[in-house]
Amino acid sequence: MTTTDAVSESRLFEPTRLGELALPNRLVMAPMTRNRAGADGVPQEIMATYYAQRASAGLIVAEAATPNAVGLTYPNIPAIHRPEHVAGWRRVTDAVRDAGGRMFLQLQHGGRIGHPDNSGLTPIAPSPVALPDPVHTPSGFQDPVVPREMTRDEIRSTVADFAAAARNAVEAGFEGVEVHSANGYLLHQFLAKGTNHRTDAYGGTVAGRIRFTLEVVRAVAEAIGPERVGVRISPGLTVNGIEEGDTEAIYPPLVAALAELGLAYLHVVYADPDNPLFREIRAVWPGTLVANPILSREAVAEGGGRREGEALLAAGADLIAMGRPFLANPDLVTRLRTGAALNPVRDRYLMYAGGETGYTDYPALADLPAVPDVPALPALSDLSALPALSASE
């Protein structure tokens, strides 16, 4: 058996299903912020090119789109709460579908991660606890502002905005949506003790802190059907200043409550197959589990994350979500299947700003210049075929 044969037989490349959706492989392109929408949140034509280039993924989860104006995080982030947003995303989903792909859209409210210079509004959050880091704005990084504590009416209206955004996503041609309850954004802020100091029904106890996420997901599932809804969580992740405080206590009941809704999938960020909490989540979650492996630069350079993905499949995951490998390799599935070298991510700045450079200009294998043919050497038994050397040579 050749190395290529061994690679191609990996479970990563098996066809599978996500509910009624047929997937050609188990690789998911993870949602990644790319900041290429217009200032009004409308997806641009270049975004259609970018995602269509990566349509060989089993499933694409498009970058986070905001469900309302106050939920905007950074400049040039797409949205999904106005008709022009729907029309812009429709161009993207049409391009991906024409290329043979399938897409979900991630719905993300920034909560305290935002700035008036980005949205024109003061950010809102479960409690008035400011982000500890500067915020990117059109004029550069600025100090964060203290968010307003959400009122009960604002909680209800935000839940309704998520449901409306999900309906808009389906109208825009997405197969479904992923509710973002991870990475320090609004729903995660409700889960975490460090950002949720409320004493009402949305704070304090585990049941109180998971309530907002459950209400959002239920509303989205009722709006478009639970089979079209995934949820992303990041247990223990401290990005964006998050301090959960009781990670092991909060996620099993959250996952158990989500499991009752019959959702399409649960997406676990930075999943570790040796982590007892990951194993507990797998035991509690009865449906499709999407796992995002922890990938060092060395791991990506050496194998593109294939080994880490296979380890998670062996630990019970059903689909494997990858971010940066897909960012730099539009044909990642082919490269992993054949063991071909991967393009490295060239410039961190270009991940979050710019145009084609660092976005749609990463080459696929088919775009690379062909290696010129080298004439075969004669067999040792036919040395007479070699040209005679002159005295000067």
Side-chain angles (χ1 to χ4, degrees), residues 65-72 79-81 108-109 124 157-158 161-162 165:
T66 57
N68 56 27
V70 74
L72 178 67
I80 189 64
H81 55 86
Q108 172 195 279
H109 189 300
I124 57 176
S157 66
T158 301
D161 289 342
F162 268 94

Side-chain angles (χ1 to χ4, degrees), residues 169 218 279 300:
R218 286 193 191 102
R279 295 197 295 269
V300 174

Side-chain angles (χ1 to χ4, degrees), residues 87-362:
W89 277 119
R90 169 61 75 173
R91 291 192 292 270
V92 176
T93 59
D94 283 348
V96 170
R97 190 167 287 108
D98 289 346
R102 300 137 296 277
M103 292 187 83
F104 271 47
L105 177 65
Q106 188 182 71
L107 304 180
Q108 172 195 279
H109 189 300
R112 68 173 182 167
I113 304 174
H115 197 278
D117 283 6
N118 293 337
S119 66
L121 302 165
T122 299
I124 57 176
S127 300
V129 180
L131 186 72
D133 305 310
V135 178
H136 182 51
T137 74
S139 58
F141 283 97
Q142 296 194 45
D143 291 337
V145 298
V146 177
R148 286 193 302 101
E149 180 169 304
M150 294 173 70
T151 66
R152 295 291 286 268
D153 284 344
E154 286 174 325
I155 288 174
R156 284 189 287 270
S157 66
T158 301
V159 170
D161 289 342
F162 268 94
R167 287 190 289 269
N168 286 343
V170 172
E171 183 181 348
F174 288 97
E175 305 287 353
V177 301
E178 177 179 284
V179 176
H180 200 353
S181 186
N183 294 67
Y185 296 100
L186 180 63
L187 275 64
H188 199 186
Q189 291 163 28
F190 270 89
L191 296 178
K193 285 185 175 181
T195 44
N196 186 345
H197 299 171
R198 302 177 74 99
T199 57
D200 64 2
Y202 292 90
T205 64
V206 166
R209 284 182 285 127
I210 69 175
R211 179 176 175 178
F212 181 64
T213 291
L214 294 176
E215 288 185 357
V216 168
V217 176
R218 286 193 191 102
V220 169
E222 290 171 2
I224 63 173
E227 72 282 358
R228 291 179 176 267
V229 181
V231 179
R232 193 183 209 205
I233 59 173
S234 56
L237 194 63
T238 58
V239 67
N240 287 317
I242 281 290
E243 297 178 3
E244 291 175 341
D246 55 355
T247 300
E248 288 73 19
I250 200 165
Y251 282 98
L254 172 64
V255 171
L258 291 171
E260 297 176 1
L261 303 181
L263 305 177
Y265 66 81
L266 181 70
H267 182 177
V268 180
V269 176
Y270 291 172
D272 180 353
D274 297 323
N275 187 322
L277 181 57
F278 175 78
R279 295 197 295 269
E280 184 174 2
I281 288 171
R282 174 67 282 185
V284 172
W285 181 253
T288 297
L289 184 66
V290 183
N292 169 227
I294 302 170
L295 295 179
S296 66
R297 290 183 180 179
E298 291 75 19
V300 174
E302 290 174 6
R306 178 174 56 85
R307 289 185 297 273
E308 292 77 7
E310 289 170 344
L312 284 167
L313 289 177
D318 301 292
L319 302 173
I320 302 301
M322 294 190 182
R324 293 188 184 198
F326 266 113
L327 181 157
N329 297 275
D331 56 348
L332 179 67
V333 176
T334 297
R335 289 176 186 261
L336 293 182
R337 179 181 283 124
T338 61
L342 269 63
N343 300 320
V345 176
R346 292 196 298 263
D347 188 325
R348 179 175 171 81
Y349 173 78
L350 294 174
M351 290 173 61
Y352 304 108
E356 295 179 0
T357 304
Y359 189 58
T360 56
D361 66 339
Y362 280 103

